[in-house]
Amino acid sequence: MMRQYELVDRVTDYAPHANEDLLNRAYVFATQKHGDQKRASGDPYFSHPIEVAGILTDLRLDTASIATALLHDTIEDTDTDYEEIESLFGEEIAKLVDGVTKLSRLELSSEGSAHAENFRKLLLATAEDIRILLVKLADRLHNMRTLYFIPSEAKRRRIAEETLDIYAPLAGRIGMQNFREELEDLSFSHINPQARDLIKDRLASLQKNSGTQLDDISYTFYNLLAEHDIRAHVVGRQKSPFSIWRKMQSKSISLEQLSDIFGYRIIVENEDDCYRALGVLHRQYNYVQGRYKDYISTPKLNGYRSLHTTIIGPDNKRVEVQIRDKQMESVAENGIAAHWWYKDLGDGHIGELFDTTPASPDMETIEPFQWLRDMVAQIRRGGTAEEFLENTKLELFNDQVFCFTPKGRLISLPHGATALDFAYAVHTQIGNSCVGARINGRKLPLRTTLNNGDEIEIIRADDAAPRETWLHQVKTGKAKSAIRHYLREGEAATYAGLGKRMVYNSFESEGETCNPTLLERALGVMDFDNLESLYAAIGRGDVSATNVLQAVLPEHKIQKSDKRRGLAGAVRSLIGRGKGEDIQGDPSSVVLPVGAGRYGSAIRFAPDHFPLPQDKIVGITTAGAGLIVYPASSPALDEYSDTPERWVQMRWDMDNISRERLFQGRLLVSVINRTGSLSAITQTFADFGANIANLSITQRNDDFCDLIIDIEVRDVPHVSKLIDVLKGSSVISSIERITSPQQE
Ligand code: MN
């Protein structure tokens, strides 16, 4: 295990101004926090974060990244939390550690490799700071190096497959070929050790035969280039067992049939020499058409630059050759990390050719997002056809946001999706019953747009129901159709309940007794499949309750209209026309659903009427338009005196109306025309928690000013108290609540 001073020395070697105190504190904190926790190997747990930090010093990362590596498992595996890390090590490191913790939680919840591509995109998108990803990759690399300590074969296999599916390609995506190859090889050794051994044996015997040949060709290239004054370092290289195996699998060919097991890398001093060396090789040997690629003028998105070609080599065999300069080589091996080292160095400032130590720029001036910015700029410029696939993949994840449930389940949504979309994506039932959301611990509205990496907890309530306005707050088709479906279903149920009540009322008002057996007789005659659909049709007004009565009791005579008028009067007196007995408790009245008027087709409030909860109300059924709710005192009801069967007694669903729900009421106020009068009134409204929705002046003279004020209040007692207080105000001469349009 690396000692504290060794780690610090390794960092100060390449970053002389590194914050040693910070590194020391992080080292000590990690060892103390992990205490006597043990790894599967029996080593103390804290050896793991220290090794991870060590891996990252090979990449010459900044102090914050190294400290993050040391602390990366403390939030997840010890009693420490974000706040403690932040107070001890600052916000930057706390955020990085938090980012790594999030990625690790994903790992726990990912099952199988079915979502590998999504998962890679998620990791890229979630790691807001690329350093989070680097720490995560180093973490995985160390875990893979020590994987054989894990006793369960199934578990080893699962981790190896996950590495192969997700982390190795990810390392490749950000250009870290060294990481990628090691991760692949380690995974391969757990997933298919026989195949790996076989290929290694064959490669060893091939190498024995062509080993000298490898050196011979390297030497030939070296001399050829030297003759043309090009200083070069030539490396003959064998492909990795895993990449050979993958090629054998994808092309179904044997090892012997593979032509490009060996490749050569020619490393020169600068970019010009790359093209000069290429010219020399192409003049000397035949080259294979279609295999030449110039990644120098058109770098890959991950920053990789090199010339690739395949030539018919010295002994008439196809030979793959990569030509690049030292900086390009370093980028090819270490990807993103190498971009930092060279950031402030101009071209041709690479130092001694075979000096393997990259120059160390001042770590404090490094801009970690530069690489990402370059990448985005490159996508905008539009790459070659070759990079099209890679581009579209990138754009794919730019179009998506990835969020988590509190248990770490991954939910992927289109860009711009809201917490409401998230709720429906988790489960339709959750969507239908949600009332709010906690996003990263903060309570926020359901319409809040989500960002990558957000953790969302949906708050639910039993009496919650989708509303029509939700349709404008969601982005996904799934949420939209679920909401529509619910609204339609809810409507049908409301209509059916209403229709049933209406038909029973109608029988009663005609002095008959209604029952299901009797009503079933109407089904065949009126062409309905069941009572529910008959009730719904009545509720919607498609079928009149009187017609149903006549259908089942043909000999019954509908009463004369003067008698009917009397019946309407009876209903009205029963309701009490705004005063008298309270019908709230009358079980024969229809409950006005909490959602009435919101998604509105089944039950709506009459226009220009302003009933409030606890006002007496009556419903009038209307053909095709459901039920229109009036305050029982409304003069507009006179119009329906002749049609008592259309009247429905109603009551508010007081038990289920939430305290937050506000209804619109209207006040007619006469104010003494004096400076400051209006502000005195509006202040009173505010004190009462009543919003002014609208205010208009109807009449004005020198002394008085008549106002119509629409207010949002909870219920009748709420507005009554408000009126009482306003009546005592010296600036108000009269105040009156209006529930119906004034009759002329
Ligand atoms: Mn770890």
Side-chain angles (χ1 to χ4, degrees):
M1 192 179 73
M2 202 185 302
R3 302 294 184 85
Q4 192 170 337
Y5 71 88
E6 286 176 278
L7 181 71
V8 174
D9 280 354
R10 282 170 81 156
V11 177
T12 50
D13 266 357
Y14 62 84
H17 307 300
N19 185 344
E20 292 181 41
D21 170 57
L22 179 80
L23 291 171
N24 282 320
R25 284 191 294 119
Y27 190 105
V28 171
F29 185 82
T31 52
Q32 283 174 352
K33 279 290 170 183
H34 288 295
D36 51 11
Q37 291 174 349
K38 292 267 190 294
R39 302 203 87 212
S41 60
D43 287 340
Y45 192 92
F46 55 75
S47 65
H48 163 68
I50 292 167
E51 291 302 323
V52 174
I55 291 172
L56 292 179
T57 61
D58 291 340
L59 293 178
R60 289 152 206 280
L61 293 195
D62 64 331
T63 344
S65 304
I66 306 296
T68 302
L70 290 169
L71 302 171
H72 83 269
D73 278 329
T74 55
I75 292 184
E76 189 68 11
D77 293 338
T78 78
D79 62 2
T80 197
D81 57 13
Y82 181 93
E83 282 69 30
E84 189 177 8
I85 302 276
E86 189 185 24
S87 70
L88 291 172
F89 302 101
E91 192 191 7
E92 182 189 18
I93 289 173
K95 279 189 166 168
L96 291 171
V97 173
D98 190 48
V100 180
T101 307
K102 271 187 184 165
L103 296 195
S104 303
R105 285 189 184 148
L106 284 178
E107 197 172 309
L108 289 174
S109 56
S110 83
E111 282 296 326
S113 59
H115 308 295
E117 178 57 30
N118 249 352
F119 203 84
R120 281 200 296 274
K121 284 189 250 162
L122 163 75
L123 292 176
L124 269 172
T126 305
E128 282 167 29
D129 189 313
I130 197 78
R131 290 175 292 181
I132 293 170
L133 209 55
L134 295 177
V135 174
K136 186 66 217 164
L137 286 170
D139 174 43
R140 180 49 69 116
L141 182 58
H142 184 247
N143 285 336
M144 285 303 295
R145 284 178 183 170
T146 52
L147 188 62
Y148 53 88
F149 286 115
I150 288 181
S152 154
E153 200 204 320
K155 190 174 176 191
R156 285 201 305 270
R157 206 184 162 80
R158 185 184 65 72
I159 294 173
E161 276 171 357
E162 188 183 69
T163 302
L164 207 51
D165 287 336
I166 291 158
Y167 293 94
L170 197 59
R173 271 296 266 291
I174 61 175
M176 308 176 72
Q177 295 312 323
N178 285 347
F179 263 52
R180 178 191 187 133
E181 280 180 20
E182 190 176 348
L183 287 171
E184 282 175 348
D185 191 50
L186 289 165
S187 305
F188 194 27
S189 73
H190 287 281
I191 291 169
N192 199 337
Q194 295 88 348
R196 180 170 172 270
D197 290 346
L198 207 71
I199 292 171
K200 285 193 104 165
D201 287 350
R202 298 298 281 276
L203 283 176
S205 68
L206 268 177
Q207 175 120 43
K208 212 185 282 167
N209 298 334
S210 58
T212 50
Q213 183 202 327
L214 254 180
D215 289 343
D216 285 353
I217 294 180
S218 299
Y219 193 65
T220 310
F221 285 164
Y222 178 83
N223 281 334
L224 181 66
L225 293 170
E227 280 167 30
H228 290 83
D229 291 328
I230 300 169
R231 274 183 76 188
H233 182 55
V234 184
V235 193
R237 201 168 166 276
Q238 201 179 59
K239 288 230 160 121
S240 76
F242 178 75
S243 65
I244 290 171
W245 182 70
R246 190 171 45 196
K247 212 159 216 173
M248 286 164 61
Q249 298 287 305
S250 67
K251 296 188 174 168
S252 316
I253 48 177
S254 71
L255 189 56
E256 281 69 24
Q257 288 170 287
L258 274 179
S259 60
D260 45 6
I261 290 171
F262 301 107
Y264 295 85
R265 191 170 294 166
I266 297 174
I267 296 154
V268 295
E269 278 183 89
N270 55 47
E271 191 178 311
D272 273 358
D273 281 356
C274 294
Y275 290 100
R276 287 177 59 214
L278 180 79
V280 169
L281 288 181
H282 279 188
R283 274 197 299 277
Q284 185 73 26
Y285 304 103
N286 288 324
Y287 58 94
V288 180
Q289 294 285 338
R291 295 294 300 259
Y292 167 63
K293 279 166 197 150
D294 182 352
Y295 292 119
I296 292 179
S297 65
T298 317
K300 286 193 184 182
L301 284 174
N302 60 28
Y304 176 86
R305 297 166 81 217
S306 187
L307 299 176
H308 288 189
T309 189
T310 301
I311 57 172
I312 311 297
D315 51 353
N316 279 330
K317 274 193 176 150
R318 282 173 160 226
V319 177
E320 273 192 358
V321 182
Q322 300 175 344
I323 305 167
R324 50 206 189 213
D325 69 21
K326 187 165 168 288
Q327 179 179 349
M328 297 174 197
E329 167 72 359
S330 169
V331 170
E333 302 266 290
N334 299 306
I336 165 75
H339 280 273
W340 296 354
W341 312 340
Y342 294 107
K343 199 210 157 227
D344 292 327
L345 303 175
D347 280 341
H349 188 184
I350 301 305
E352 232 359 77
L353 184 57
F354 298 123
D355 172 9
T356 52
T357 313
S360 1
D362 178 5
M363 284 320 218
E364 304 311 311
T365 67
I366 286 169
E367 164 59 271
F369 293 110
Q370 188 56 42
W371 169 78
L372 281 178
R373 267 192 219 129
D374 290 349
M375 191 148 107
V376 171
Q378 210 153 343
I379 292 168
R380 292 217 184 96
R381 277 202 301 275
T384 61
E386 208 158 27
E387 283 173 346
F388 178 76
L389 192 68
E390 219 167 3
N391 283 357
T392 48
K393 273 187 190 162
L394 276 168
E395 276 162 8
L396 253 181
F397 76 70
N398 282 340
D399 282 354
Q400 283 174 280
V401 289
F402 299 93
C403 304
F404 322 111
T405 66
K407 283 182 181 163
R409 189 178 146 204
L410 156 66
I411 305 287
S412 112
L413 294 163
H415 191 78
T418 62
L420 199 49
D421 283 302
F422 181 90
Y424 276 101
V426 174
H427 198 281
T428 305
Q429 257 336 97
I430 292 185
N432 282 342
S433 61
C434 66
V435 290
R438 213 166 270 127
I439 302 177
N440 304 322
R442 274 182 64 207
K443 210 173 167 217
L444 289 166
L446 285 166
R447 60 171 188 280
T448 309
T449 305
L450 301 178
N451 293 311
N452 266 315
D454 280 348
E455 185 183 294
I456 296 116
E457 184 194 338
I458 295 297
I459 305 163
R460 302 166 63 188
D462 288 341
D463 65 340
R467 313 167 186 183
E468 191 156 15
T469 50
W470 282 12
L471 288 170
H472 310 293
Q473 297 176 4
V474 295
K475 177 109 182 166
T476 56
K478 178 176 177 168
K480 274 206 174 93
S481 66
I483 295 166
R484 283 212 188 92
H485 179 77
Y486 183 93
L487 294 180
R488 265 199 306 271
E489 292 268 297
E491 231 173 73
T494 312
Y495 278 132
L498 188 59
K500 185 175 180 186
R501 170 68 54 192
M502 285 163 67
V503 78
Y504 276 76
N505 276 356
S506 177
F507 273 65
E508 208 173 308
S509 69
E510 291 289 326
E512 301 282 355
T513 313
C514 187
N515 62 61
T517 327
L518 192 61
L519 285 178
E520 268 162 15
R521 286 201 230 151
L523 295 181
V525 186
M526 305 184 82
D527 199 21
F528 284 98
D529 292 337
N530 51 49
L531 283 179
E532 281 304 298
S533 51
L534 173 66
Y535 292 149
I538 297 167
R540 251 194 313 272
D542 295 344
V543 170
S544 101
T546 316
N547 287 352
V548 176
L549 188 148
Q550 283 175 317
V552 298
L553 301 169
E555 62 282 8
H556 176 89
K557 290 219 166 47
I558 299 293
Q559 300 176 40
K560 289 206 184 71
S561 66
D562 53 340
K563 188 137 189 226
R564 290 161 56 100
R565 209 168 283 130
L567 280 167
V571 173
R572 184 172 279 205
S573 76
L574 184 70
I575 294 163
R577 209 178 170 178
K579 48 187 178 290
E581 70 268 50
D582 182 10
I583 65 150
Q584 270 307 127
D586 182 348
S588 72
S589 56
V590 172
V591 171
L592 177 68
V594 170
R598 285 187 181 175
Y599 53 91
S601 14
I603 298 183
R604 295 183 281 122
F605 290 104
D608 297 321
H609 286 73
F610 303 93
L612 294 173
Q614 297 192 21
D615 271 332
K616 294 191 168 63
I617 46 174
V618 82
I620 296 292
T621 57
T622 329
L627 194 71
I628 315 277
V629 179
Y630 291 85
S633 59
S634 173
L637 286 170
D638 291 344
E639 204 184 307
Y640 305 105
S641 299
D642 287 351
T643 48
E645 71 277 5
R646 294 180 65 186
W647 289 56
V648 181
Q649 292 181 59
M650 305 204 75
R651 63 190 150 96
W652 298 86
D653 188 5
M654 293 311 292
D655 295 340
N656 291 307
I657 296 174
S658 84
R659 293 283 293 169
E660 278 81 57
R661 170 107 189 256
L662 296 179
F663 293 79
Q664 190 157 325
R666 177 166 281 189
L667 298 178
L668 200 60
V669 186
S670 196
V671 182
I672 295 165
N673 203 352
R674 190 195 296 160
T675 322
S677 295
L678 266 183
S679 68
I681 299 176
T682 51
Q683 185 55 49
T684 310
F685 280 93
D687 293 346
F688 263 80
N691 305 324
I692 296 182
N694 197 17
L695 187 152
S696 56
I697 298 176
T698 53
Q699 242 181 17
R700 179 176 208 157
N701 60 35
D702 288 347
D703 301 325
F704 292 100
C705 179
D706 287 339
L707 306 169
I708 291 177
I709 305 177
D710 289 342
I711 46 163
E712 292 174 332
V713 288
R714 282 194 303 275
D715 48 24
V716 173
H718 190 196
V719 76
S720 301
K721 265 187 224 141
L722 179 67
I723 290 172
D724 285 348
V725 169
L726 288 170
K727 271 181 179 160
S729 162
S730 61
V731 296
I732 288 177
S733 73
S734 73
I735 180 164
E736 182 189 354
R737 187 178 154 224
I738 297 176
T739 57
S740 319
Q742 302 294 289
Q743 293 241 303
E744 296 304 315

